[in-house]
């Protein structure tokens, strides 16, 4: 019999209303200040991709910027006990998995696949013709970490790190913004985190995964890559697929790149470094799915993507903005947030044809406990200070959606001036 450790829900729906907090009151966003400096990284010091992004490539100036500070924080102080990103863990085929995929339901006798990692993953509510299989949408990361449990819940392959996060989040102000956690479940000899399926309340949902922060890898991964460099062919291939000139001459000759090098390249190519967030993937209610946002870096391009995602709806943009501001306020009060470095975590945007919209914080596999107050979440990262830039990214994301909404409403005004309604 499968063992289950069910967590009683302590979720309080009324807790979604949160008032402002002291932490966010700090003046961190200076209008017209220079853009954030690109983190200095030393994994590929020779012939490596320059991490400097020309000013003109950074998108229109936002009024958010990070103040550069130094910190002598120890890299290994309270590091993750469950670092899941093994440099040599994944095959090419796993890395390619994006879009609609078929999930096994728990206990499926046909199941032969090995588990692999996946992030930013959502249930798509239709069933394939195969019995006990469900079609899902994968917007980022690797396939295979999820199983459908039915009854509006899913199982996610256990990461001890993530489990600890969910346990702590049960008592935190962030609780209304994370998927409901039902404890750890064992099935077929494997352990899973049991979570609510976020898509259940929606009718033909559109979904967007936004990876938050200025950095998507842990400092430990950098250290490990320096001490034991493991060049990876699969990451080299992914890099060349996007940009043949991405790898250095040396990397070309080896046909391989290290993971931090790949991750830094991804971050610099996209808006992670310049805006503190990036779009990973979008699935729209019409069934179209895009995960080709690796080069989407400029704010004006993100605005277009976002406007298309919401079908130009100002109402949905407003709902998203309200929810993001609630999250911002909750973060300012959250003890969990004060005590954690949040890396590789996403905001999952969901709306549907009935104009319901929600944003959820997901993916805590690389969220690591630190001493309270060690992080600001809105200052530049320098190796050793563990900063994640989460708050900075969130503020920039809010600005981007505000700009999208503003430009949309201006367009609407222009169109209504050009095409007055004629009543016959
Ligand atoms: C992957 C993405 C994932 C990362 C994965 C990368 O790149 O950055 O976040 O997994 O590393 O390959 P892409 O988005 O370009 O496909 P982690 O966040 O778990 O490190 P991996 O191949 O080592 O799993």
């Amino acid at each position: 019999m499968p063992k289950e450790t069910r967590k009683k829900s302590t979720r309080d729906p009324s807790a979604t209303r949160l008032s402002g907090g002291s932490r966010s009151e700090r003046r961190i966003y200076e209008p017209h200040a220079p853009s954030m400096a690109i983190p200095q990284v030393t994994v590929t010091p020779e012939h490596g991709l320059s991490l400097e992004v020309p000013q003109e490539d950074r998108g229109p100036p936002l009024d958010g910027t990070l103040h550069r500070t130094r910190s002598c924080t120890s890299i290994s102080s309270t590091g993750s006990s469950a670092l899941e990103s093994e440099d040599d863990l994944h095959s090419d085929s796993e890395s390619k998995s994006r879009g609609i995929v078929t999930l096994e339901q728990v206990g499926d006798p046909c199941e032969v696949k090995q588990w692999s990692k996946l992030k930013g993953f959502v249930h798509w509510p239709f069933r394939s013709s195969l019995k006990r299989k469900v079609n899902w949408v994968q917007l980022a990361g690797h396939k295979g970490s999820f199983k459908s449990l039915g009854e509006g819940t899913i199982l996610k392959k256990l990461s001890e790190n993530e489990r600890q996060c969910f346990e702590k989040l049960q008592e935190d102000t962030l609780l209304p913004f994370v998927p409901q956690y039902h404890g750890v479940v064992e099935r077929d000899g494997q352990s899973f985190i049991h979570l609510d399926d976020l898509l259940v309340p929606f009718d033909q949902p559109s979904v967007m995964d936004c990876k938050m922060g200025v950095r998507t890898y842990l400092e430990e991964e950098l250290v490990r890559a320096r001490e034991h460099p493991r060049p990876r062919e699969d990451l080299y291939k992914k890099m060349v697929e996007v940009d043949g000139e991405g790898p250095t001459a040396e990397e070309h000759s080896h046909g391989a790149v290290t993971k931090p090098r790949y991750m830094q390249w991804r971050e610099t190519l996209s808006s992670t470094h310049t805006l503190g967030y990036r779009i990973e993937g979008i699935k729209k209610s019409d069934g179209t799915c895009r995960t080709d946002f690796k080069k989407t870096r400029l704010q004006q391009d993100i605005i277009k993507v976002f406007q298309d995602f919401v079908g130009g709806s100002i109402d949905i943009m407003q709902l998203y903005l309200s929810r993001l501001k609630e999250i911002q306020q909750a973060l300012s009060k959250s003890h969990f947030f004060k005590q954690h470095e949040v890396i590789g975590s996403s905001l999952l945007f969901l709306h549907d044809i009935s104009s319901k919209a929600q944003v959820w914080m997901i993916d805590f596999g690389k969220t690591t406990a630190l001493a309270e107050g060690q992080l600001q979440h809105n200052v530049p990262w320098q190796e050793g200070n563990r900063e994640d830039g989460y708050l900075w990214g969130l503020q920039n994301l809010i600005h981007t959606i505000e700009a999208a909404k503003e430009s949309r409403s201006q367009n609407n005004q222009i169109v209504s001036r050009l095409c007055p309604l004629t009543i016959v």
Side-chain angles (χ1 to χ4, degrees):
M1 281 289 284
K3 277 188 284 169
E4 286 195 19
T5 320
R6 274 197 174 253
K7 184 86 192 170
K8 251 195 181 164
S9 169
T10 53
R11 181 178 297 251
D12 171 9
S14 65
T16 50
R17 297 211 165 272
L18 297 157
S19 55
S22 56
R23 258 182 141 242
S24 65
E25 285 162 10
R26 253 183 239 136
R27 302 288 303 169
I28 51 176
Y29 302 104
E30 292 183 346
H32 315 303
S35 294
M36 186 194 80
I38 300 301
Q40 297 294 310
V41 183
T42 53
V43 177
T44 53
E46 286 181 357
H47 317 297
L49 175 74
S50 164
L51 293 178
E52 286 299 324
V53 179
Q55 182 61 47
E56 60 272 22
D57 288 348
R58 295 185 183 184
L62 297 173
D63 60 355
T65 190
L66 293 179
H67 300 287
R68 180 168 279 281
T69 59
R70 274 199 171 272
S71 163
C72 35
T73 309
S74 160
I75 296 171
S76 59
S77 56
T78 48
S80 161
S81 60
L83 187 61
E84 292 229 309
S85 312
E86 302 306 333
D87 283 355
D88 49 358
L89 201 62
H90 301 289
S91 68
D92 293 5
S93 57
E94 284 172 344
S95 303
K96 289 258 174 84
S97 171
R98 294 280 167 93
I100 298 173
V101 295
T102 303
L103 270 199
E104 309 291 345
Q105 272 198 307
V106 167
D108 191 329
C110 305
E111 184 176 12
V112 289
K113 290 182 217 159
Q114 280 199 320
W115 285 107
S116 58
K117 287 190 308 169
L118 173 144
K119 288 199 161 180
F121 191 95
V122 289
H123 177 205
W124 186 243
F126 62 84
R127 285 174 186 276
S128 71
S129 54
L130 290 172
K131 203 179 167 200
R132 297 178 67 81
K133 295 203 175 180
V134 182
N135 285 335
W136 293 62
V137 175
Q138 175 177 345
L139 295 178
H142 300 269
K143 69 177 176 183
S145 274
F146 284 74
K147 289 197 178 207
S148 164
L149 196 57
E151 299 173 358
T153 61
I154 55 161
L155 299 182
K156 181 178 185 184
K157 191 185 176 190
L158 176 74
S159 138
E160 178 53 24
N161 219 44
E162 188 162 38
R163 184 194 68 77
Q164 286 180 18
C165 289
F166 273 111
E167 294 283 346
K168 292 181 203 164
L169 283 163
Q170 301 313 298
E171 309 296 332
D172 196 82
T173 53
L174 292 179
L175 185 61
F177 306 100
V178 298
Q180 192 156 354
Y181 167 68
H182 303 284
V184 172
V185 173
E186 285 184 23
R187 288 284 189 279
D188 307 330
Q190 294 198 323
S191 300
F192 301 87
I193 291 173
H194 186 192
L195 299 170
D196 265 7
D197 180 345
L198 296 173
L199 284 198
V200 165
F202 291 90
D203 181 14
Q204 297 181 42
S206 294
V207 188
M208 176 173 78
D209 182 302
C210 248
K211 193 174 267 196
M212 299 303 293
V214 290
R215 173 166 62 93
T216 57
Y217 52 87
L218 295 170
E219 291 190 0
E220 286 137 282
E221 292 179 87
L222 279 183
V223 172
R224 202 169 38 180
R226 271 190 218 111
E227 289 172 356
H228 307 287
R230 280 182 202 267
R232 282 175 50 177
E233 280 178 35
D234 61 322
L235 298 181
Y236 170 81
K237 283 182 191 158
K238 284 205 287 186
M239 192 187 251
V240 169
E241 219 167 77
V242 177
D243 180 6
E245 292 176 9
T248 63
E250 195 185 350
E251 286 163 348
H252 272 307
S253 73
H254 288 107
V257 296
T258 64
K259 179 160 173 186
R261 161 79 170 109
Y262 176 79
M263 301 289 261
Q264 289 155 13
W265 167 81
R266 282 277 275 122
E267 291 166 1
T268 311
L269 204 63
S270 67
S271 55
T272 289
H273 275 183
T274 49
L275 297 174
Y277 69 89
R278 74 173 179 234
I279 297 175
E280 289 279 284
I282 286 179
K283 168 80 175 70
K284 292 206 299 181
S285 59
D286 62 9
T288 55
C289 190
R290 282 187 63 192
T291 55
D292 55 342
F293 297 108
K294 283 196 171 78
K295 287 169 145 177
T296 304
R297 179 179 53 189
L298 303 180
Q299 195 199 16
Q300 67 238 36
D301 295 333
I302 298 170
I303 286 174
K304 283 186 203 138
V305 170
F306 193 79
Q307 286 174 334
D308 180 61
F309 169 59
V310 298
S313 166
I314 289 172
D315 290 347
I316 291 172
M317 288 194 244
Q318 186 51 52
L319 288 170
Y320 278 144
L321 281 170
S322 303
R323 177 82 170 173
L324 288 175
K325 286 174 186 174
E326 283 177 4
I327 291 176
Q328 202 176 33
Q329 288 201 328
L331 287 168
S332 74
K333 293 185 153 190
S334 164
H335 287 291
F336 177 87
F337 193 56
K338 287 185 177 113
Q339 294 165 350
H340 286 81
E341 170 192 16
V342 184
I343 300 294
S345 178
S346 287
L347 288 175
L348 195 69
F349 290 71
L350 297 149
H351 67 268
D352 69 9
I353 48 175
S354 71
S355 289
K356 186 189 303 183
Q358 286 176 345
V359 185
W360 296 97
M361 295 175 70
I362 59 166
D363 288 338
F364 301 105
K366 286 190 180 182
T367 293
T368 309
L370 294 176
E372 179 153 348
Q374 184 172 334
L375 294 190
Q376 309 297 305
H377 300 287
N378 53 25
V379 298
W381 174 66
Q382 282 195 325
E383 197 175 343
N385 76 4
R386 308 281 290 261
E387 289 291 350
D388 53 29
Y390 194 103
L391 282 182
W392 183 71
L394 179 56
Q395 184 61 57
N396 285 336
L397 180 56
I398 289 171
H399 284 317
T400 304
I401 298 174
E402 280 170 346
K405 185 178 149 220
E406 181 60 28
S407 95
R408 184 68 203 177
S409 63
Q410 278 171 8
N411 280 352
N412 285 355
Q413 282 167 18
I414 291 167
V415 169
S416 68
R417 277 202 296 271
L418 290 175
C419 316
L421 191 64
T422 310
I423 300 169
V424 184

